[in-house]
Amino acid sequence: MFILAVFVVTGITAPWIAPHDPERGDVRARNVPPAWLEGGSTEYLLGTDHLGRDVLTRVIYGARISLIVAAVTLGVGGTIGVCSGLVAGWYGRWVDEMIMRIVDIKLAIPTILLALVLVLELGQTFLIIVAVLGIAIWPRFARNIRGEVLQLKTMDYVALAKVAGASTPRILLIHIFPGVINTLIILATLEVGIVILLESTLSFLGAGVPPPTPAWGSMVSDGRDRLAVSWWISTMPGLAIMLTVLSMNLFGDWLRDKLDPRLRQLD
């Protein structure tokens, strides 16, 4: 949680705490090593890249890009997935069959391949990237929420709501949805790491956030041909990706242990 808090705070406050301009470099300061290495400078704590841009500044701004992409993607993909799961689980029969087959088809298509095709065909813009990532994660929400709804709709309080004459939308929103909130929160925390990793992968392949906007994946890609002489260009954003995804996954596991009543009983 501390590591996540650091990345969130730095991402939000990037314009105020970043020491340099993330897109403007100094050709006289190209490939400067980190401050603790020979030839390093305290002006560039994590060194500079091949264009003289400060790596620390770009890592800080990259955190902002990752947070924005993750938040918007979870909002879009999570909403589609939750609505699909509620409808599939409640109505069942051919509605459930149709939605779940769409989910199966999506899960059978490699996400990276689909993302590359869509980005190349539709253009490399922020909206396209968010749409691609939303398409990638909504089936996971739909499948998990549908499983919860299948169990909840057999509960006595749902049967009483039907007898009382409650409409289907009211039952889904007032009686069913609160029962899946814990699952939704846990799933969202786990999906944040996946979204950040997917966005970084797309940026690494040149199909993510367009340059010169700093993104962790594109920063790793910028330094892959210079690992022998300027390893810090790729290593620093790579460490940021690893720490963020690992922390988010650990936080999601902890949250699941706290929110799942079955796991609480084991304690």
Side-chain angles (χ1 to χ4, degrees), residues 155-266:
M155 297 293 182
D156 291 339
Y157 69 89
V158 177
L160 290 174
K162 291 181 182 178
V163 172
S167 64
T168 297
R170 179 178 177 83
I171 293 175
L172 289 176
L173 294 177
I174 305 300
H175 301 284
I176 299 292
F177 181 69
V180 304
I181 287 181
N182 286 351
T183 300
L184 179 60
I185 293 174
I186 296 168
L187 191 59
T189 57
L190 294 174
E191 288 297 318
V192 169
I194 295 176
V195 170
I196 292 176
L197 202 58
L198 284 173
E199 185 275 324
S200 299
T201 303
L202 290 177
S203 296
F204 178 82
L205 296 173
V209 178
T213 303
W216 288 340
S218 60
M219 292 175 66
V220 174
S221 179
D222 288 342
R224 62 181 175 178
D225 296 330
R226 302 173 178 83
L227 288 175
V229 293
S230 302
W231 53 267
W232 55 88
I233 300 176
S234 290
T235 301
M236 300 308 174
L239 286 174
I241 296 171
M242 183 197 73
L243 289 174
T244 304
V245 174
L246 179 62
S247 301
M248 207 69 226
N249 288 341
L250 292 176
F251 176 67
D253 288 339
W254 173 83
L255 200 60
R256 180 187 59 189
D257 295 341
K258 294 299 180 183
L259 295 180
D260 192 330
R262 290 167 296 184
L263 294 177
R264 286 204 304 266
Q265 291 173 2
L266 296 177

Side-chain angles (χ1 to χ4, degrees), residues 30-236:
R30 291 182 299 174
N31 298 321
V32 173
W36 61 87
L37 296 180
E38 182 180 357
S41 170
T42 54
E43 183 180 359
Y44 306 107
L45 293 178
L46 297 184
T48 62
D49 62 10
H50 60 292
L51 297 177
R53 298 173 296 189
D54 181 43
V55 173
L56 175 60
T57 298
R58 290 179 64 79
V59 168
I60 292 174
Y61 272 87
R64 163 175 276 202
I65 296 298
S66 295
L67 290 174
I68 293 174
V69 170
V72 177
T73 300
L74 285 175
V76 174
T79 300
I80 297 173
V82 169
C83 293
S84 301
L86 288 172
V87 171
W90 177 258
Y91 286 102
R93 298 184 180 181
W94 67 269
V95 176
D96 181 27
E97 189 73 17
M98 180 180 65
I99 294 177
M100 286 301 102
R101 294 299 74 77
I102 295 175
V103 168
D104 291 338
I105 292 172
K106 169 56 196 70
L107 293 176
I109 301 175
T111 299
I112 298 301
L113 177 60
L114 175 64
L116 288 174
V117 171
L118 291 177
V119 169
L120 291 175
E121 289 294 326
L122 301 178
Q124 191 175 349
T125 64
F126 179 80
L127 292 177
I128 295 299
I129 294 168
V130 168
V132 167
L133 295 177
I135 293 173
I137 68 169
W138 79 266
R140 297 186 179 93
F141 283 93
R143 176 167 285 182
N144 283 275
I145 298 301
R146 176 238 185 200
E148 293 288 327
V149 173
L150 288 175
Q151 180 180 3
L152 291 174
K153 74 177 185 178
T154 62
M155 297 293 182
D156 291 339
Y157 69 89
V158 177
L160 290 174
K162 291 181 182 178
V163 172
S167 64
T168 297
R170 179 178 177 83
I171 293 175
L172 289 176
L173 294 177
I174 305 300
H175 301 284
I176 299 292
F177 181 69
V180 304
I181 287 181
N182 286 351
T183 300
L184 179 60
I185 293 174
I186 296 168
L187 191 59
T189 57
L190 294 174
E191 288 297 318
V192 169
I194 295 176
V195 170
I196 292 176
L197 202 58
L198 284 173
E199 185 275 324
S200 299
T201 303
L202 290 177
S203 296
F204 178 82
L205 296 173
V209 178
T213 303
W216 288 340
S218 60
M219 292 175 66
V220 174
S221 179
D222 288 342
R224 62 181 175 178
D225 296 330
R226 302 173 178 83
L227 288 175
V229 293
S230 302
W231 53 267
W232 55 88
I233 300 176
S234 290
T235 301
M236 300 308 174

